[in-house]
Amino acid sequence: MIEKINRAADYIKSQITGTPEVGIILGSGLGNFGNRIENSIKIPYENIPEFPVSTVEGHSGQLIFGDMAGKKVVAMQGRFHYYEGYEMNQVTLPVRVLKMLGVSTLFVSNAAGGLNPSFNAGDMMIIRDHINFFPQNALRGKNLDDLGPRFPDMSEPYSQKLIAEAENIAQAEGIEVKKGVYVGSSGPTLETSAEYKMFRILGADATGMSTVPEVILAVHMGMKVFGMSVITNVSEPADPDKGTTHDEVQDVAGTVEPQMTKIFSKLIESL
Ligand code: HPA
């Protein structure tokens, strides 16, 4: 495994100059974030040795290296989801590669369904903690001792310092943000009513199909993590006859994008 990680990292190092300090996984809500990176160098995933091959036609995504707010950053445009059929070590390989490149702080965004009754579609939620409901822990298997411990501490997976800073930024910018617990499960089905209710009872405020595996790996390697969800739909909609569609998820994510981009870029500036 370590050889694969190094092979990918060595190739990337041969294509870039400087050391990125911040990694950003661009999920929903940060779709255009990559365009704000200056002096950018783009590396398509298909060019990177050992990177997973996309299951869908077209491009699987790219890494965007460059400068933002005076920091060297690398963004992952496109991520690998467990529901697509990738193994956990494929889903999380890019995060390990980012660490090898020098990244010490990881930012993530995603789309999620709101469980907390006070949430509405179009809200943004700072992830303060998560529940791993994937059928497999992303660290299952032989531990890579050079990267981190066998039994990593998970008492603060999301940096309290970054959360506090993000809340200050949101307040100063007049942007309303919620804060809560994200439960990650495999998908690709959205939850049944009974499952939404179960997740609420378990203590989650939002539910989605990504992020948890990547964050577990990042924490294992000692990275600082900050994450936000776009609440694209809620578990108890005003019109219960109307289900959730993927188009709806995309539309809502698009509308909050400027605000979410603002919070992330100011937060990077504050590092
Ligand atoms: N459930 C799971 N994942 C999601 C949802 C949801 O309701 N909305 C957006 N991603």
Side-chain angles (χ1 to χ4, degrees), residues 54-71:
S54 178
T55 55
V56 284
E57 79 287 353
H59 8 237
S60 50
Q62 58 184 355
L63 292 180
I64 308 174
F65 290 84
D67 303 306
M68 189 169 213
K71 306 276 181 325

PDB file of all heavy atoms in Angstrom, residues 54-71:
ATOM      1  N   SER A  54     -11.980   5.872 -12.842  1.00  0.00           N
ATOM      2  CA  SER A  54     -13.392   6.236 -12.675  1.00  0.00           C
ATOM      3  C   SER A  54     -14.318   5.158 -13.220  1.00  0.00           C
ATOM      4  O   SER A  54     -14.042   4.542 -14.236  1.00  0.00           O
ATOM      5  CB  SER A  54     -13.670   7.543 -13.388  1.00  0.00           C
ATOM      6  OG  SER A  54     -15.029   7.851 -13.258  1.00  0.00           O
ATOM      7  N   THR A  55     -15.429   4.949 -12.506  1.00  0.00           N
ATOM      8  CA  THR A  55     -16.415   3.969 -12.984  1.00  0.00           C
ATOM      9  C   THR A  55     -17.387   4.587 -13.980  1.00  0.00           C
ATOM     10  O   THR A  55     -18.108   3.888 -14.659  1.00  0.00           O
ATOM     11  CB  THR A  55     -17.252   3.413 -11.801  1.00  0.00           C
ATOM     12  OG1 THR A  55     -17.833   4.517 -11.102  1.00  0.00           O
ATOM     13  CG2 THR A  55     -16.397   2.606 -10.853  1.00  0.00           C
ATOM     14  N   VAL A  56     -17.419   5.909 -14.019  1.00  0.00           N
ATOM     15  CA  VAL A  56     -18.335   6.565 -14.962  1.00  0.00           C
ATOM     16  C   VAL A  56     -17.554   7.114 -16.141  1.00  0.00           C
ATOM     17  O   VAL A  56     -16.365   7.419 -16.021  1.00  0.00           O
ATOM     18  CB  VAL A  56     -19.124   7.720 -14.295  1.00  0.00           C
ATOM     19  CG1 VAL A  56     -20.226   7.160 -13.422  1.00  0.00           C
ATOM     20  CG2 VAL A  56     -18.228   8.629 -13.515  1.00  0.00           C
ATOM     21  N   GLU A  57     -18.215   7.243 -17.275  1.00  0.00           N
ATOM     22  CA  GLU A  57     -17.511   7.755 -18.455  1.00  0.00           C
ATOM     23  C   GLU A  57     -17.178   9.235 -18.243  1.00  0.00           C
ATOM     24  O   GLU A  57     -17.691   9.861 -17.332  1.00  0.00           O
ATOM     25  CB  GLU A  57     -18.338   7.507 -19.729  1.00  0.00           C
ATOM     26  CG  GLU A  57     -19.489   8.442 -20.006  1.00  0.00           C
ATOM     27  CD  GLU A  57     -20.698   8.247 -19.093  1.00  0.00           C
ATOM     28  OE1 GLU A  57     -20.726   7.274 -18.292  1.00  0.00           O
ATOM     29  OE2 GLU A  57     -21.584   9.095 -19.159  1.00  0.00           O
ATOM     30  N   GLY A  58     -16.341   9.772 -19.073  1.00  0.00           N
ATOM     31  CA  GLY A  58     -15.895  11.159 -18.877  1.00  0.00           C
ATOM     32  C   GLY A  58     -14.753  11.159 -17.892  1.00  0.00           C
ATOM     33  O   GLY A  58     -14.144  10.130 -17.645  1.00  0.00           O
ATOM     34  N   HIS A  59     -14.451  12.317 -17.335  1.00  0.00           N
ATOM     35  CA  HIS A  59     -13.287  12.354 -16.431  1.00  0.00           C
ATOM     36  C   HIS A  59     -13.669  12.100 -14.999  1.00  0.00           C
ATOM     37  O   HIS A  59     -14.746  12.430 -14.548  1.00  0.00           O
ATOM     38  CB  HIS A  59     -12.513  13.663 -16.545  1.00  0.00           C
ATOM     39  CG  HIS A  59     -13.179  14.696 -17.377  1.00  0.00           C
ATOM     40  ND1 HIS A  59     -12.586  15.269 -18.455  1.00  0.00           N
ATOM     41  CD2 HIS A  59     -14.414  15.218 -17.291  1.00  0.00           C
ATOM     42  CE1 HIS A  59     -13.421  16.113 -18.998  1.00  0.00           C
ATOM     43  NE2 HIS A  59     -14.524  16.109 -18.323  1.00  0.00           N
ATOM     44  N   SER A  60     -12.750  11.503 -14.306  1.00  0.00           N
ATOM     45  CA  SER A  60     -12.993  11.149 -12.912  1.00  0.00           C
ATOM     46  C   SER A  60     -12.657  12.318 -11.996  1.00  0.00           C
ATOM     47  O   SER A  60     -13.011  12.306 -10.836  1.00  0.00           O
ATOM     48  CB  SER A  60     -12.141   9.953 -12.533  1.00  0.00           C
ATOM     49  OG  SER A  60     -10.810  10.174 -12.906  1.00  0.00           O
ATOM     50  N   GLY A  61     -11.953  13.307 -12.532  1.00  0.00           N
ATOM     51  CA  GLY A  61     -11.610  14.449 -11.698  1.00  0.00           C
ATOM     52  C   GLY A  61     -10.159  14.847 -11.857  1.00  0.00           C
ATOM     53  O   GLY A  61      -9.437  14.273 -12.680  1.00  0.00           O
ATOM     54  N   GLN A  62      -9.756  15.826 -11.057  1.00  0.00           N
ATOM     55  CA  GLN A  62      -8.378  16.307 -11.156  1.00  0.00           C
ATOM     56  C   GLN A  62      -7.929  16.935  -9.842  1.00  0.00           C
ATOM     57  O   GLN A  62      -8.752  17.346  -9.025  1.00  0.00           O
ATOM     58  CB  GLN A  62      -8.260  17.325 -12.288  1.00  0.00           C
ATOM     59  CG  GLN A  62      -9.177  18.524 -12.135  1.00  0.00           C
ATOM     60  CD  GLN A  62      -9.115  19.490 -13.322  1.00  0.00           C
ATOM     61  OE1 GLN A  62      -8.302  19.306 -14.223  1.00  0.00           O
ATOM     62  NE2 GLN A  62      -9.949  20.513 -13.321  1.00  0.00           N
ATOM     63  N   LEU A  63      -6.622  16.988  -9.678  1.00  0.00           N
ATOM     64  CA  LEU A  63      -6.045  17.751  -8.574  1.00  0.00           C
ATOM     65  C   LEU A  63      -5.701  19.136  -9.115  1.00  0.00           C
ATOM     66  O   LEU A  63      -5.202  19.260 -10.233  1.00  0.00           O
ATOM     67  CB  LEU A  63      -4.757  17.088  -8.066  1.00  0.00           C
ATOM     68  CG  LEU A  63      -4.892  15.743  -7.351  1.00  0.00           C
ATOM     69  CD1 LEU A  63      -3.503  15.250  -6.937  1.00  0.00           C
ATOM     70  CD2 LEU A  63      -5.799  15.856  -6.132  1.00  0.00           C
ATOM     71  N   ILE A  64      -5.996  20.158  -8.330  1.00  0.00           N
ATOM     72  CA  ILE A  64      -5.652  21.522  -8.724  1.00  0.00           C
ATOM     73  C   ILE A  64      -4.705  22.095  -7.678  1.00  0.00           C
ATOM     74  O   ILE A  64      -5.092  22.267  -6.514  1.00  0.00           O
ATOM     75  CB  ILE A  64      -6.911  22.411  -8.841  1.00  0.00           C
ATOM     76  CG1 ILE A  64      -7.955  21.741  -9.740  1.00  0.00           C
ATOM     77  CG2 ILE A  64      -6.534  23.803  -9.359  1.00  0.00           C
ATOM     78  CD1 ILE A  64      -9.283  22.477  -9.791  1.00  0.00           C
ATOM     79  N   PHE A  65      -3.475  22.333  -8.093  1.00  0.00           N
ATOM     80  CA  PHE A  65      -2.468  22.925  -7.204  1.00  0.00           C
ATOM     81  C   PHE A  65      -2.367  24.412  -7.479  1.00  0.00           C
ATOM     82  O   PHE A  65      -2.529  24.844  -8.614  1.00  0.00           O
ATOM     83  CB  PHE A  65      -1.093  22.292  -7.456  1.00  0.00           C
ATOM     84  CG  PHE A  65      -1.008  20.869  -6.989  1.00  0.00           C
ATOM     85  CD1 PHE A  65      -1.450  19.841  -7.797  1.00  0.00           C
ATOM     86  CD2 PHE A  65      -0.514  20.566  -5.731  1.00  0.00           C
ATOM     87  CE1 PHE A  65      -1.395  18.521  -7.370  1.00  0.00           C
ATOM     88  CE2 PHE A  65      -0.448  19.253  -5.288  1.00  0.00           C
ATOM     89  CZ  PHE A  65      -0.887  18.234  -6.108  1.00  0.00           C
ATOM     90  N   GLY A  66      -2.062  25.197  -6.446  1.00  0.00           N
ATOM     91  CA  GLY A  66      -1.856  26.621  -6.676  1.00  0.00           C
ATOM     92  C   GLY A  66      -1.872  27.408  -5.381  1.00  0.00           C
ATOM     93  O   GLY A  66      -1.653  26.849  -4.301  1.00  0.00           O
ATOM     94  N   ASP A  67      -2.146  28.705  -5.526  1.00  0.00           N
ATOM     95  CA  ASP A  67      -2.092  29.611  -4.383  1.00  0.00           C
ATOM     96  C   ASP A  67      -3.478  30.138  -4.054  1.00  0.00           C
ATOM     97  O   ASP A  67      -4.269  30.428  -4.947  1.00  0.00           O
ATOM     98  CB  ASP A  67      -1.188  30.815  -4.712  1.00  0.00           C
ATOM     99  CG  ASP A  67       0.212  30.382  -5.110  1.00  0.00           C
ATOM    100  OD1 ASP A  67       0.829  29.643  -4.325  1.00  0.00           O
ATOM    101  OD2 ASP A  67       0.657  30.746  -6.216  1.00  0.00           O
ATOM    102  N   MET A  68      -3.719  30.265  -2.762  1.00  0.00           N
ATOM    103  CA  MET A  68      -4.963  30.876  -2.315  1.00  0.00           C
ATOM    104  C   MET A  68      -4.696  31.564  -0.994  1.00  0.00           C
ATOM    105  O   MET A  68      -4.147  30.945  -0.073  1.00  0.00           O
ATOM    106  CB  MET A  68      -6.025  29.801  -2.152  1.00  0.00           C
ATOM    107  CG  MET A  68      -7.382  30.386  -1.897  1.00  0.00           C
ATOM    108  SD  MET A  68      -8.593  29.102  -2.026  1.00  0.00           S
ATOM    109  CE  MET A  68      -9.939  30.043  -2.660  1.00  0.00           C
ATOM    110  N   ALA A  69      -5.085  32.827  -0.929  1.00  0.00           N
ATOM    111  CA  ALA A  69      -4.914  33.613   0.302  1.00  0.00           C
ATOM    112  C   ALA A  69      -3.500  33.470   0.866  1.00  0.00           C
ATOM    113  O   ALA A  69      -3.300  33.316   2.073  1.00  0.00           O
ATOM    114  CB  ALA A  69      -5.957  33.187   1.350  1.00  0.00           C
ATOM    115  N   GLY A  70      -2.524  33.476  -0.025  1.00  0.00           N
ATOM    116  CA  GLY A  70      -1.132  33.419   0.416  1.00  0.00           C
ATOM    117  C   GLY A  70      -0.663  32.042   0.844  1.00  0.00           C
ATOM    118  O   GLY A  70       0.450  31.877   1.339  1.00  0.00           O
ATOM    119  N   LYS A  71      -1.508  31.039   0.657  1.00  0.00           N
ATOM    120  CA  LYS A  71      -1.129  29.668   1.042  1.00  0.00           C
ATOM    121  C   LYS A  71      -1.022  28.787  -0.199  1.00  0.00           C
ATOM    122  O   LYS A  71      -1.726  29.013  -1.187  1.00  0.00           O
ATOM    123  CB  LYS A  71      -2.203  29.049   1.951  1.00  0.00           C
ATOM    124  CG  LYS A  71      -2.560  29.856   3.173  1.00  0.00           C
ATOM    125  CD  LYS A  71      -1.599  29.583   4.295  1.00  0.00           C
ATOM    126  CE  LYS A  71      -1.881  30.328   5.582  1.00  0.00           C
ATOM    127  NZ  LYS A  71      -2.419  31.667   5.532  1.00  0.00           N
TER     128      LYS A  71
END
